[in-house]
Amino acid sequence: MPQIKPTALRFYGSSNVRVTGISIINSPQCHLKFDSCQGVMVHNLTISSPENSPNTDGIHLQNSKDVSIHHTDLACGDDCISIQTGCSDVNIHNVNCGPGHGISIGGLGRYNTKACVSNITVRDVNMFKTMTGVRIKTWQGGSGLVQGIRFSNIHMSEVQTPIMIDQFYCDKTSCTNQSSAVAVSGVQYENIRGTFTFKPAHFACSDSSPCSEITLTGIQLRPLTVPQYHICSSPFCWQAFGELYTPTIPPISCLQLGKPAGNRVLSDHDQC
């Protein structure tokens, strides 16, 4: 009964919080959660639970600002770090993630809600045997804006899909098709290298609200050719616009250069 499973440690409406030097092991659900907090510092933390334990996010952020997470080891059955609506000015660095689902922004916009996330930096991170690496995921039908995101100096080892934007996120068998979406703009990928076991990059963006200003620099992702892995070595793009600053391995030629027609991403509906 996941709805009644407790979070191991939760801070709500708190300011100037420091969590350091502790271990959280086998939480029934999320290990560490910050909701409506400001001025958060997490470092020298260890989180550990089995990779098949459902909904055991490592660190969950929601409606929180001025957050720093560094020098931390995260192993869990869901997102190592989950960044939800209302978060801004989040700096994550020198983190080890795996197993788990990677570091994720979202899912955002569920139940046709408005979601706003901005100024997120994830750098100097190691991912090991995670489902995704760095991911942005939004539900159909939402509104709002994800902007000012930087993923830099990230090493991937046996990661299924290292780079992902999914504006059709659905954790059920099927979800209703809806035209509106949380807009995604200004996402930088720099020096992301290592091995993947399924697909190097997946950009699935909305027809009505395409992803814009995606930039890629120093991307080198190679398939790990092990018999048990079904590899799709070609990146996938749909309604994704941006620029390749350097050649990528493998080539991400499906990214559309420039900006989407009509600059839909900057409409008043999406402004936060």
Side-chain angles (χ1 to χ4, degrees):
M1 297 171 63
Q3 67 272 21
I4 63 171
K5 288 183 179 181
T7 293
L9 180 60
R10 179 178 182 238
F11 293 87
Y12 179 82
S14 304
S15 299
N16 302 320
V17 180
R18 176 174 291 187
V19 179
T20 182
I22 66 171
S23 298
I24 306 175
I25 300 172
N26 295 334
S27 175
Q29 196 160 279
C30 181
H31 289 75
L32 176 60
K33 183 181 289 187
F34 297 94
D35 191 348
S36 303
C37 295
Q38 184 164 357
V40 173
M41 180 173 288
V42 177
H43 62 94
N44 297 104
L45 184 76
T46 298
I47 285 174
S48 178
S49 62
E51 61 181 314
N52 62 350
S53 54
N55 301 311
T56 54
D57 296 69
I59 301 174
H60 181 98
L61 306 174
Q62 184 167 333
N63 295 314
S64 294
K65 298 174 173 60
D66 300 319
V67 178
S68 176
I69 300 170
H70 62 91
H71 294 93
T72 287
D73 296 324
L74 304 167
C76 56
D78 209 306
D79 295 325
C80 290
I81 301 175
S82 172
I83 302 167
Q84 299 294 331
T85 186
C87 290
S88 63
D89 301 315
V90 176
N91 188 355
I92 298 164
H93 64 93
N94 296 99
V95 165
N96 296 315
C97 169
H101 292 182
I103 294 178
S104 296
I105 297 173
L108 303 173
R110 191 174 190 178
Y111 305 126
N112 302 329
T113 56
K114 185 172 185 176
C116 299
V117 174
S118 62
N119 300 331
I120 311 295
T121 297
V122 178
R123 61 178 176 86
D124 304 313
V125 168
N126 293 312
M127 303 271 187
F128 177 67
K129 287 190 173 180
T130 55
M131 185 181 76
T132 59
V134 288
R135 173 170 59 160
I136 299 171
K137 51 182 178 174
T138 70
W139 294 81
Q140 295 183 70
S143 62
L145 179 61
V146 176
Q147 64 180 342
I149 312 300
R150 181 179 176 231
F151 300 115
S152 178
N153 297 330
I154 299 173
H155 183 261
M156 307 284 182
S157 180
E158 298 183 53
V159 173
Q160 290 182 34
T161 305
I163 296 172
M164 177 178 284
I165 297 177
D166 183 8
Q167 288 190 287
F168 302 91
Y169 177 71
C170 178
D171 65 357
K172 301 177 289 184
T173 303
S174 63
C175 293
T176 303
N177 288 329
Q178 299 183 65
S179 59
S180 64
V182 179
V184 176
S185 176
V187 185
Q188 304 175 52
Y189 299 94
E190 305 169 348
N191 299 324
I192 299 178
R193 306 179 182 197
T195 58
F196 65 91
T197 63
F198 177 59
K199 185 188 301 181
H202 182 90
F203 297 114
C205 300
S206 166
D207 289 310
S208 63
S209 185
C211 301
S212 67
E213 299 180 36
I214 298 170
T215 61
L216 299 160
T217 308
I219 308 300
Q220 297 183 19
L221 297 167
R222 292 177 168 86
L224 187 68
T225 52
V226 178
Q228 67 263 34
Y229 296 134
H230 175 70
I231 300 235
C232 173
S233 58
S234 298
F236 173 83
C237 306
W238 181 262
Q239 295 292 358
F241 291 79
E243 187 172 355
L244 303 175
Y245 286 153
T246 63
T248 63
I249 300 174
I252 305 181
S253 55
C254 59
L255 186 72
Q256 300 184 60
L257 300 181
K259 294 184 177 181
N263 206 18
R264 167 66 182 83
V265 73
L266 297 177
S267 75
D268 292 339
H269 181 62
D270 293 320
Q271 292 302 305
C272 290

